[in-house]
Amino acid sequence: MRRRSPVTPSADKMEKGSNKPQHSRICVLGLLCAFFWGVLLYFHFVVIGGRTFQVNSISFDSRAPDSVPVIRPITTSRPNPPVDTPEIRDLDIAQPRNSQPEPVIEQKSDHSVTEHLENRQPEPVTEQKSDNSVTDQLPETVTEQESGNLDEPKDFPFIKALRTVENKSDPCGGRYVYVHDLPPRFNEDMLKQCRSLSKWTNMCKFTTNAGLGPPLENTEGVFSDNGWYATNQFAVDVIFSNRMKQYECLTDDSSLAAAIFVPFYAGFDIARYLWGYNISMRDAASLDLVDWLQKRPEWGIMGGKDHFLVAGRITWDFRRLSEEETDWGNKLLFLPAAKNMSMLVVESSPWNANDFAIPYPTYFHPSKDSEVFAWQDRMMNLDRKWLFCFAGAPRPDNPKSIRGQIIDQCKNSDAGKLLECDLGESKCHSPSSIMQMFQSSVFCLQPQGDSYTRRSAFDSMLAGCIPVFFHPGSAYTQYTWHLPKNYTKYSVFIPEDDLRKRNISIEERLSQIPPDQVRMMREEVINLIPRLIYADPRSKLDSHKDAFDVSVQAIIDKVTRLRKDIIEGRTNDDFIEELSWKYALLDEGEYVGVHEWDPFFSKPKPNNGNSDSDGSSAEAAKNSWKNEQREHS
């Protein structure tokens, strides 16, 4: 529609006060002006402002004018660790090399602005590797890949702990341990009621001297002058906890911790209630502990996967299969929270992944390196008149036991020495008699006890005696942190079936080993002594790592690997818990497959994979209690 030209009013009328046309003209001009600036601003902020310009490989976002640029690396499937150089240390990025993509500068205003990567796929960033064996320098924030969103960084609460390894001046970097301050009902109160800790043994004397028990007299010259105690084989709870008090890298700041220790005396707890108490009483302290831990902020860091505790008994005491009152033990290791934690026991389950075997305590607890050196030299130079020996009792109620055959062969051999530990045999209660026999023998026979393992294996190696095992579960699949994977370096393996079928002579088998090989095996056993014993908890060895040190470092390594897997988005979906015994035996890069020891661990198990179906493990645990008064049963 065409617009009519307005009629020009006369001067008289304009002077009389009608200025309406003038106002209309001003309004039209204002609208035109607003329209012009609206189009201009739209073009500037929407059309141009939505684009990202690349200048010298640095991205500027025009939607955030007057903001301060912040550098952030482009991440892909795994985060890139920062390079600790003076130029970019504060920028927390990876240094680009050659043709690798440059870091992106993101404009940030006072308002939250997300990273804009329009029509562009993220490029991989060259990973800078350092010489640090633990963390290789890790970023403070890591992009979470599982959600498919590359724009939202995720902070991991354990990054600070992993970064401690970068401080070259800190000898504890990557090794800090935080210890929970548990209420005394979980530990010290048990010691005050020490008479209730065993049905047959007064544990009060064995909890003295920081858990080592009373000192041993060296009247027969079997021991060295210092460091020998009448240590109970199930006293690891208190020994380990007291050793932790001397650990050189304790921290009060849990954010620095490579692992978190829970000083719960789990073995002493279950010892109080196994006989004559219902399952509610047996489970009470474990449930109370888990409830206490889950309320702590330290638990939330990894849901307990960085926590560990120690129980000086075999794993079967903590793996009750049902809620039947007649079933054995408590259910500590089957609690969901406990499955996240690591539990150190003197015998672990081959079919479960949350327990790890550590050595039984021996009688020797040195406080100085010189005491260890002197003992090793002495064991190397002993005259050993017996080819083999055995200290133990038969198991007539167990048709699978080979102890009867071993005892018969010892009795019928001029090269064998036997110390029968059946009822009435007092010498088996004497540490001096046991150690004297081991020191006089080249090989020490170590069949299964009531369960897979025996303390006697560690007493014999302490004496420089080469152990002879008849089941891989007695040592090889158990103490993988403390013993070499190549078991032929320090021991002899004779399958149980070879004795059951009576088609092999122990004496003949051992006599065939060349003297040079025997000498090398003995040297290996004696060299292993420091890592198989627990130093005096009131002191610390300077140059040796004892069983405690080896165990703590293994836990730290385990937690560190898990944390790095979490950061890099790696999952272990192929892990088969029922085959847990195999994984520690594998070298890096190897896969679980057919193994020579499959027949030893192929007994049928229930669908939940908790234990063997006939309950023989629980029965073995019960029998071990009946025979615990015999030190070398």
Side-chain angles (χ1 to χ4, degrees):
M1 175 184 295
R2 292 188 60 185
R3 192 175 184 180
R4 294 184 178 181
S5 299
V7 178
T8 303
S10 64
D12 292 338
K13 290 182 179 180
M14 290 178 63
E15 290 177 357
K16 288 183 181 179
S18 180
N19 57 358
K20 187 182 245 185
Q22 183 177 358
H23 290 168
S24 300
R25 187 178 304 164
I26 293 174
C27 291
V28 170
L29 291 175
L31 289 173
L32 289 174
C33 182
F35 177 79
F36 172 79
W37 283 107
V39 171
L40 184 62
L41 291 173
Y42 176 84
F43 181 80
H44 177 75
F45 287 102
V46 177
V47 178
I48 298 178
R51 300 178 184 176
T52 300
F53 297 92
Q54 194 79 11
V55 180
N56 293 330
S57 299
I58 298 179
S59 175
F60 291 89
D61 191 339
S62 61
R63 291 171 295 178
D66 301 324
S67 62
V68 179
V70 177
I71 298 181
R72 183 172 65 182
I74 301 176
T75 58
T76 55
S77 59
R78 63 180 294 179
N80 186 55
V83 178
D84 191 20
T85 60
E87 294 77 15
I88 63 174
R89 185 180 295 117
D90 295 332
L91 300 180
D92 196 28
I93 63 169
Q95 181 181 6
R97 295 186 296 186
N98 301 332
S99 61
Q100 295 299 324
E102 300 285 341
V104 175
I105 296 183
E106 178 183 83
Q107 296 284 347
K108 298 182 81 174
S109 65
D110 294 336
H111 303 286
S112 175
V113 180
T114 58
E115 182 180 6
H116 184 72
L117 297 174
E118 182 179 357
N119 298 324
R120 174 181 175 185
Q121 295 295 325
E123 301 177 29
V125 180
T126 302
E127 182 175 311
Q128 296 282 347
K129 290 187 177 181
S130 70
D131 294 331
N132 297 323
S133 62
V134 180
T135 63
D136 294 336
Q137 296 188 351
L138 296 160
E140 292 182 358
T141 60
V142 181
T143 303
E144 188 174 15
Q145 300 298 324
E146 291 82 356
S147 64
N149 187 351
L150 298 178
D151 294 332
E152 297 181 3
K154 180 176 180 181
D155 291 327
F156 291 99
F158 48 73
I159 291 294
K160 184 178 178 182
L162 290 174
R163 279 183 169 274
T164 61
V165 76
E166 299 174 16
N167 186 354
K168 302 299 183 181
S169 63
D170 184 3
C172 290
R175 298 174 53 230
Y176 285 107
V177 172
Y178 177 85
V179 180
H180 274 300
D181 185 15
L182 294 182
R185 65 180 181 275
F186 293 117
N187 40 54
E188 295 302 324
D189 285 352
M190 298 183 198
L191 302 185
K192 295 177 182 178
Q193 301 172 357
C194 52
R195 288 188 178 273
S196 67
L197 296 181
S198 174
K199 182 177 178 65
W200 301 278
T201 305
N202 180 4
M203 292 296 293
C204 293
K205 69 175 183 178
F206 293 114
T207 58
T208 61
N209 292 312
L212 303 183
L216 286 173
E217 296 182 2
N218 191 25
T219 56
E220 300 180 29
V222 176
F223 314 123
S224 49
D225 292 333
N226 299 302
W228 291 82
Y229 297 84
T231 304
N232 186 274
Q233 62 178 330
F234 300 121
V236 171
D237 302 61
V238 65
I239 294 174
F240 202 99
S241 292
N242 284 321
R243 275 285 281 116
M244 183 62 76
K245 295 175 183 178
Q246 303 297 326
Y247 182 63
E248 67 275 16
C249 294
L250 294 179
T251 179
D252 292 330
D253 183 356
S254 61
S255 68
L256 298 178
I260 296 177
F261 178 56
V262 182
F264 173 49
Y265 294 165
F268 286 170
D269 168 56
I270 190 59
R272 300 178 293 178
Y273 304 123
L274 274 175
W275 300 92
Y277 293 88
N278 59 30
I279 59 174
S280 296
M281 183 65 75
R282 285 181 255 159
D283 293 338
S286 298
L287 294 170
D288 189 14
L289 173 75
V290 166
D291 181 67
W292 188 92
L293 288 173
Q294 290 180 316
K295 294 176 181 178
R296 297 288 301 174
E298 294 82 11
W299 184 269
I301 295 176
M302 296 181 69
K305 292 183 179 180
D306 52 356
H307 285 50
F308 72 105
L309 66 156
V310 174
R313 299 206 66 93
I314 61 177
T315 188
W316 315 112
D317 287 332
F318 312 98
R319 294 189 178 279
R320 191 181 68 247
L321 300 179
S322 72
E323 296 302 297
E324 296 294 330
E325 295 290 345
T326 56
D327 209 346
W328 181 256
N330 69 20
K331 60 180 181 181
L332 172 59
L333 283 173
F334 287 149
L335 297 177
K339 287 185 177 181
N340 283 350
M341 294 189 285
S342 298
M343 185 158 163
L344 310 188
V345 288
V346 292
E347 177 179 318
S348 63
S349 164
W351 307 296
N352 299 96
N354 57 335
D355 58 352
F356 302 87
I358 59 176
Y360 286 85
T362 64
Y363 301 112
F364 187 39
H365 306 281
S367 58
K368 300 177 183 178
D369 287 357
S370 59
E371 295 174 1
V372 180
F373 291 132
W375 181 257
Q376 288 177 301
D377 291 341
R378 179 178 171 182
M379 293 304 100
M380 184 61 69
N381 297 318
L382 286 177
D383 180 22
R384 300 176 184 268
K385 60 181 180 180
W386 303 107
L387 177 63
F388 63 97
C389 70
F390 173 63
R395 293 292 186 268
D397 296 334
N398 182 1
K400 297 181 180 180
S401 176
I402 60 171
R403 288 190 172 205
Q405 291 92 324
I406 289 177
I407 291 173
D408 289 342
Q409 291 204 29
C410 286
K411 289 180 176 179
N412 297 326
S413 171
D414 293 334
K417 173 68 174 176
L418 174 65
L419 191 61
E420 288 190 86
C421 299
D422 209 351
L423 295 177
E425 179 57 59
S426 60
K427 287 188 178 181
C428 280
H429 299 278
S430 167
S432 179
S433 298
I434 293 290
M435 292 300 293
Q436 189 173 42
M437 184 183 69
F438 289 161
Q439 292 174 29
S440 302
S441 304
V442 178
F443 297 97
C444 292
L445 308 184
Q446 300 295 344
Q448 295 186 68
D450 294 292
S451 58
Y452 287 125
T453 63
R454 328 169 61 205
R455 169 193 175 144
S456 178
F458 295 97
D459 287 334
S460 65
M461 286 188 279
L462 174 61
C465 189
I466 301 168
V468 180
F469 295 111
F470 301 86
H471 192 292
S474 295
Y476 306 147
T477 63
Q478 293 284 341
Y479 310 103
T480 55
W481 294 345
H482 299 79
L483 296 173
K485 290 182 180 180
N486 183 1
Y487 63 88
T488 62
K489 295 175 61 177
Y490 70 94
S491 70
V492 176
F493 180 60
I494 302 176
E496 289 179 335
D497 280 347
D498 287 353
L499 290 186
R500 290 193 184 101
K501 298 174 182 178
R502 298 183 181 276
N503 61 354
I504 188 173
S505 163
I506 296 175
E507 179 180 351
E508 181 179 348
R509 170 72 176 84
L510 298 178
S511 298
Q512 294 173 350
I513 303 176
D516 287 345
Q517 184 177 348
V518 172
R519 178 182 54 80
M520 289 189 293
M521 293 170 71
R522 183 185 302 120
E523 289 180 355
E524 182 69 21
V525 168
I526 293 174
N527 287 333
L528 287 172
I529 288 177
R531 61 194 295 118
L532 302 180
I533 60 177
Y534 296 91
D536 192 318
R538 297 159 294 190
S539 61
K540 187 183 185 304
L541 303 180
D542 293 326
S543 59
H544 288 301
K545 290 186 179 298
D546 70 343
F548 168 87
D549 293 319
V550 173
S551 302
V552 171
Q553 188 59 53
I555 285 292
I556 288 174
D557 292 343
K558 173 180 177 289
V559 174
T560 299
R561 286 193 300 269
L562 177 59
R563 286 173 170 176
K564 295 176 73 174
D565 286 345
I566 292 173
I567 288 174
E568 298 177 1
R570 289 196 296 263
T571 59
N572 200 6
D573 297 333
D574 296 331
F575 179 79
I576 304 173
E577 187 173 19
E578 201 169 285
L579 301 179
S580 294
W581 64 270
K582 291 188 179 183
Y583 288 94
L585 305 176
L586 301 176
D587 293 323
E588 187 174 355
E590 288 186 335
Y591 295 92
V592 174
V594 177
H595 197 280
E596 61 176 311
W597 292 331
D598 283 338
F600 290 92
F601 301 106
S602 61
K603 59 179 63 176
K605 295 172 285 295
N607 293 332
N608 59 13
N610 289 340
S611 182
D612 49 312
S613 58
D614 61 0
S616 61
S617 297
E619 189 63 28
K622 185 184 298 185
N623 290 334
S624 73
W625 276 85
K626 292 179 180 178
N627 292 288
E628 77 169 52
Q629 69 269 34
R630 296 196 293 259
E631 284 288 331
H632 291 273
S633 61

